[in-house]
Amino acid sequence: MASLIPCPHCGQRPREEFTVKGAALVRPAADAGRNAWLDYVYLRDNPRGRYDEHWHHTSGCRRWLVVTRDTATHEIEGARDTAARTETVE
Amino acid sequence: MSVSAIEHRAALGGKAPLISTGVTLRTLPEGHVLHLLSASADSDVSATISAVLGCDALTKRSVSPGQWFVVGDEPLSAAALADIVKKVKPHAEVVDQSHGRVRIAIAGAKATSVLAKGTAADLALNVFPVGHATTTLIGHIATHITRVSEDGFELMVLRGFAESLWEELAELSVEFR
Ligand SMILES: [Zn+2]
């Protein structure tokens, strides 16, 4: 169930403590084309299955996390601090 | 121009302690609460700040990576605050929250049971030892909890929520009276 989120700083916490921001996507390069930015800002795939999302631990440590969740089963695979995430620009 | 002195009124001024065999609730003095914020979450930054201030885990409480609350029962003079800021400045920013956050003490054999009705944070002594602190929801109120003894906690909330939290805790502890 998606009701308990394993915050890397605070431990297991109920989802009521969090704010969900949506898909955690790789940010395009600053000089990427108009279409790349349009995709990044507006277009979402709405996949069935594994999904990376930004969750903010609003009523806890107030850190932004990337939570990996299964959209079909609501199973939580893990959560990590966004600062610990290494992005590679496509 | 009219001049009027600023009068300090404690947010929980009129609240008498609620004392029973199972659990005791007390308001704590509105002394000082300093919010320390560092760009670095490294544990050596935390240790350095503790060293320059000469304070322990019950005085400098963890908030989140790179953030701490330094608390005490005594109000700080402008000079004392300036001295702390000077010492901490190379390592973290200091924001005086003494006016903005209020502390409540809850203690007793049933203190953990009372809090467990309000929060989902794991308060078991082995995972939440003395000196450990975290922020969590108690009901709908974001509360910073510090374990100060085996059966005692300090709760800190934004001033405007203090009375609501007090009343909520009073209700949650009725069954243990
Ligand atoms: Zn957290």
Side-chain angles (χ1 to χ4, degrees):
Chain A
M1 283 297 290
S3 52
L4 282 177
I5 308 299
C7 175
H9 309 298
C10 308
Q12 296 270 6
R13 293 300 178 86
R15 66 180 161 77
E16 286 78 6
E17 292 191 1
F18 296 82
T19 309
V20 189
K21 181 67 181 173
L25 305 171
V26 177
R27 192 182 171 88
D31 59 356
R34 191 188 165 89
N35 286 341
W37 277 103
L38 191 78
D39 279 9
Y40 175 72
V41 175
Y42 296 109
L43 301 184
R44 295 296 177 264
D45 289 338
N46 193 21
R48 178 184 170 83
R50 198 174 182 276
Y51 203 40
D52 280 350
E53 284 168 319
H54 284 302
W55 286 57
H56 185 240
H57 196 182
T58 314
S59 303
C61 60
R62 302 192 60 83
R63 295 287 296 189
W64 279 101
L65 311 176
V66 175
V67 174
T68 305
R69 178 176 72 90
D70 190 301
T71 58
T73 64
H74 295 302
E75 209 84 47
I76 303 284
E77 187 182 307
R80 58 197 189 281
D81 195 294
T82 45
R85 192 162 76 130
T86 47
E87 286 187 338
T88 45
V89 176
E90 285 166 11
Chain B
M1 193 179 86
S2 67
V3 177
S4 56
I6 295 172
E7 184 188 339
H8 179 256
R9 291 188 198 184
L12 297 172
K15 305 288 185 196
L18 297 177
I19 300 168
S20 70
T21 48
V23 61
T24 296
L25 280 176
R26 285 176 202 281
T27 63
L28 289 168
E30 291 185 16
H32 62 272
V33 177
L34 306 179
H35 191 180
L36 273 50
L37 304 99
S38 168
S40 165
D42 293 348
S43 55
D44 49 334
V45 172
S46 176
T48 304
I49 295 170
S50 296
V52 297
L53 291 178
C55 61
D56 60 20
L58 289 185
T59 308
K60 175 173 147 285
R61 301 167 180 183
S62 171
V63 176
S64 69
Q67 295 187 35
W68 306 270
F69 283 130
V70 171
V71 303
D73 289 345
E74 304 302 325
L76 290 177
S77 67
L81 177 60
D83 183 53
I84 289 175
V85 171
K86 201 174 131 199
K87 285 178 180 159
V88 172
K89 196 75 177 176
H91 317 288
E93 297 299 319
V94 180
V95 180
D96 185 4
Q97 284 281 303
S98 307
H99 58 291
R101 291 173 199 263
V102 169
R103 292 180 299 135
I104 296 170
I106 178 167
K110 294 295 180 190
T112 311
S113 305
V114 170
L115 293 176
K117 288 196 277 182
T119 176
D122 190 349
L123 302 173
L125 190 58
N126 60 334
V127 292
F128 205 112
V130 174
H132 190 78
T134 196
T135 306
T136 185
L137 280 181
I138 293 184
H140 293 283
I141 303 173
T143 309
H144 185 256
I145 305 181
T146 306
R147 184 176 224 120
V148 295
S149 67
E150 265 192 34
D151 63 358
F153 298 87
E154 270 190 34
L155 313 178
M156 182 155 60
V157 272
L158 289 170
R159 186 183 180 87
F161 290 108
E163 198 164 11
S164 297
L165 181 63
W166 176 274
E167 278 162 15
E168 185 149 339
L169 292 168
E171 247 174 76
L172 291 176
S173 54
V174 161
E175 68 166 303
F176 301 116
R177 263 184 226 146

